[in-house]
Amino acid sequence: MFIRQRVQKILNELPYNVELVVAVKTRSLDEIRQAIEAGAKIIGQNYVQDAEKIYQVLDNQVTWHLIGHLQTNKVKKAVTIFDMIQTVDSFRLAKEIHKRCEQNNKNMPILIEINSAREKQKSGVFPEKTIKLVKDISGFKSIKVMGLMTMGPRTGDPENSRPYFIKTRKIFDYIKNLNLDNIEMKYLSMGMTNSYKIAIEEGANIVRIGTKIFDKNWEDL
Ligand SMILES: *Cc1c(COP(=O)(O)O)cnc(C)c1O
């Protein structure tokens, strides 16, 4: 199958309330174009500098989500490119985004990234610290918390991810029920190529898929 067919198949199979973010790291402009022509509406970038290169060419056709870790020294640029930042995991980062958005007269929707499996090398806030972080940043008027994002463990049986998706969903529901000012718990971004079906079963309404769309050798078993 070609990129176009793969994207269309995924879009057709996703439940109506689930949005596809096409994860495009390492992919060429031509590959990304094919995905967009097939109907992809949201492009997920890991690096600000990668987005910068193609955003000029493809802007207007799609919206842009940052799904990779964001360093504070890249925030200034990031807020001019992205429509959503999915990877906010510290007060310091949130504060910088707020500051830069205020200067640009922008309001940035963000997701809080949770390190749901508490993996040392990964970014994301630990589950037990999430609620405090959300409360602490709710006062920043130029950003709006709109939900949570998590990766879950990357390797092994995708079923291994399920408990982490469940945990993230529980935190999501808890925060939603707090009805905090300036917080709108709407999006739960969980699941990648090997785990997105499980993530949807556990409540994801944004899935981030790359390999299954772009990798010719990937077969859906
Ligand atoms: C690469 C990436 C994905 C997509 O992973 P695949 O296994 O290629 O589908 C999703 N989310 C993030 C944050 C990524 O870096």
Side-chain angles (χ1 to χ4, degrees):
M1 271 203 279
F2 299 103
I3 290 170
R4 172 185 288 270
Q5 293 166 290
R6 289 170 175 231
V7 169
Q8 281 167 350
K9 185 163 186 286
I10 292 169
L11 287 173
N12 285 336
E13 288 173 0
L14 287 180
Y16 74 97
N17 64 320
V18 177
E19 297 192 50
L20 170 67
V21 171
V22 179
V24 300
K25 59 174 174 280
T26 75
R27 310 300 171 182
S28 70
L29 181 60
D30 182 55
E31 289 174 299
I32 298 168
R33 255 207 194 103
Q34 289 180 49
I36 294 171
E37 280 165 13
K41 295 278 180 262
I42 310 173
I43 301 300
Q45 284 279 13
N46 285 71
Y47 307 103
V48 177
Q49 55 272 36
D50 288 354
E52 213 182 343
K53 279 182 223 142
I54 60 163
Y55 151 86
Q56 308 275 355
V57 191
L58 300 172
D59 191 25
N60 296 328
Q61 306 174 39
V62 286
T63 56
W64 301 82
H65 287 200
L66 182 66
I67 61 173
H69 180 65
L70 178 59
Q71 292 167 304
T72 40
N73 64 353
K74 299 272 166 53
V75 169
K76 188 179 174 196
K77 187 125 281 164
V79 303
T80 67
I81 297 176
F82 292 101
D83 303 291
M84 180 183 275
I85 296 173
Q86 293 204 7
T87 48
V88 176
D89 62 357
S90 73
F91 180 80
R92 189 167 153 257
L93 179 58
K95 189 176 172 187
E96 182 68 14
I97 297 170
H98 164 67
K99 183 179 123 192
R100 296 298 181 183
C101 283
E102 217 172 24
Q103 290 168 354
N104 283 283
N105 236 334
K106 255 190 128 162
N107 193 288
M108 181 64 74
I110 64 166
L111 305 183
I112 303 296
E113 180 179 2
I114 300 192
N115 184 350
S116 53
R118 307 178 108 274
E119 292 167 286
K120 278 209 174 61
Q121 73 284 11
K122 278 206 183 141
S123 49
V125 61
F126 280 167
E128 68 276 15
K129 303 233 160 103
T130 309
I131 292 157
K132 179 170 181 345
L133 178 62
V134 170
K135 283 182 177 167
D136 286 350
I137 68 182
S138 64
F140 292 140
K141 297 299 177 203
S142 293
I143 57 182
K144 191 172 181 78
V145 177
M146 299 206 67
L148 304 178
M149 179 273 215
T150 199
M151 300 271 285
R154 191 85 203 256
T155 51
D157 185 342
E159 273 297 333
N160 295 341
S161 297
R162 192 184 294 275
Y164 302 102
F165 294 156
I166 292 173
K167 183 191 275 182
T168 305
R169 165 72 185 272
K170 281 192 178 145
I171 299 168
F172 179 89
D173 287 340
Y174 183 89
I175 297 171
K176 189 173 187 163
N177 287 329
L178 293 177
N179 282 315
L180 298 167
D181 268 1
N182 195 33
I183 304 288
E184 184 187 350
M185 296 304 277
K186 185 171 177 189
Y187 297 115
L188 191 49
S189 173
M190 316 192 286
M192 308 183 287
T193 289
N194 67 355
S195 61
Y196 77 93
K197 289 178 182 164
I198 291 168
I200 291 169
E201 286 171 10
E202 301 306 338
N205 56 14
I206 294 179
V207 293
R208 309 176 311 267
I209 301 177
T211 305
K212 184 173 176 169
I213 291 169
F214 296 110
D215 187 347
K216 291 183 193 64
N217 299 317
W218 202 87
E219 286 304 327
D220 205 346
L221 300 173

